[in-house]
Amino acid sequence: MLKIVVLVSGGGTNLQAILDRAAAGSLGDVKITCVISNNRGVKALDRAEQAGIPHRVVSPKDYPDREAFNEALLAAVESAEPDLVVLAGFLVAIPPAMVQAFPHRIINIHPSLIPAFCGKGYYGLKVHEAALRRGVRVTGATVHFVDEGTDTGPIILQKPVAVQQGDTPEILQRRVMEEAEWEILPEAIALIAAGAVSVEDGRVIIDRSLSGKEEK
Ligand code: GRF
């Protein structure tokens, strides 16, 4: 069994995509042991509650400084004893100590085709505003392992999404979530749970023969 902790900050639609795939029986032998949010009162926590999953808040507002928050966040994650940490719309920088504690065991969903529109300052709607400003015809989403950089770890899965005439950042964000994020994040978890994902020389190798789903 793959035990996962899911870190969230807001709406939790990526968490919901994971929950829905688990309910459909196609996530594999996975157990979400805890959902942790850095914000109180967000819909992601309601989604965890409705799914009967333990959840808690670790908020920077409750600590005197960033260092104390980082230590509390790491302690909360470690107490859930995860095999994998999943950042699902989590908008807090992961402290180096956590990356070191979970090497190639933290994954993140980013709403662009990395290396485009990523790095410091590129999150949420800002990513889609930049894509529209640049005039790209194709954007998408990326699931990657988290390293000590920002959106710089080995890429696991990506999915393209067409930009359409008249797109606003909000419309584009929704399409990228629906057509890409909500598919590739659960898929990455299922592949990792099947033991199909490894990292060699900084690049991800996926052996789909282990996942029972051959490359399309
Ligand atoms: C969205 O901008 C998504 O692209 C990014 O995090 C934000 C909220 O996601 N990954 P969620 O609805 O909280 O999962």
Side-chain angles (χ1 to χ4, degrees):
M1 173 189 290
L2 186 79
K3 294 193 294 180
I4 69 173
V5 166
V6 182
L7 304 190
V8 297
S9 292
T13 64
N14 280 284
L15 168 65
Q16 192 63 55
I18 297 166
L19 294 171
D20 292 348
R21 182 150 170 176
S26 59
L27 196 62
D29 188 13
V30 175
K31 177 179 172 64
I32 303 176
T33 57
C34 193
V35 170
I36 300 174
S37 174
N38 62 304
N39 291 316
R40 287 185 173 76
V42 293
K43 188 158 175 48
L45 293 169
D46 298 336
R47 297 179 192 273
E49 179 75 21
Q50 282 158 19
I53 292 172
H55 48 82
R56 60 188 291 188
V57 173
V58 180
S59 165
K61 299 188 177 75
D62 300 337
Y63 297 91
D65 53 44
R66 177 60 58 170
E67 183 61 33
F69 166 73
N70 285 348
E71 285 169 11
L73 180 65
L74 179 53
V77 169
E78 288 182 325
S79 67
E81 297 178 331
D83 301 304
L84 182 71
V85 181
V86 179
L87 310 184
F90 191 62
L91 301 178
V92 170
I94 298 300
M98 187 180 297
V99 176
Q100 288 147 22
F102 294 95
H104 292 151
R105 289 168 56 203
I106 306 174
I107 63 173
N108 180 50
I109 177 81
H110 181 76
S112 76
L113 295 176
I114 289 174
F117 312 117
C118 65
K120 288 199 185 327
Y122 286 101
Y123 57 88
L125 275 180
K126 293 174 185 291
V127 174
H128 306 291
E129 289 165 358
L132 291 171
R133 209 166 32 245
R134 184 64 183 82
V136 295
R137 295 291 182 236
V138 176
T139 186
T142 303
V143 181
H144 63 94
F145 285 110
V146 172
D147 63 12
E148 298 193 26
T150 303
D151 303 328
T152 52
I155 291 170
I156 303 168
L157 292 176
Q158 295 189 299
K159 184 165 182 186
V161 173
V163 179
Q164 294 177 9
Q165 293 289 2
D167 272 350
T168 64
E170 292 77 7
I171 292 171
L172 184 55
Q173 178 179 52
R174 185 76 191 181
R175 187 179 313 119
V176 169
M177 291 166 93
E178 287 175 346
E179 296 184 8
E181 295 181 39
W182 298 346
E183 178 182 318
I184 63 174
L185 184 57
E187 175 66 8
I189 294 168
L191 288 169
I192 292 168
V197 177
S198 59
V199 181
E200 288 173 26
D201 297 330
R203 276 181 295 285
V204 171
I205 309 291
I206 296 178
D207 178 353
R208 288 186 181 274
S209 66
L210 292 173
S211 70
K213 288 176 72 177
E214 291 306 317
E215 189 83 46
K216 289 177 189 135

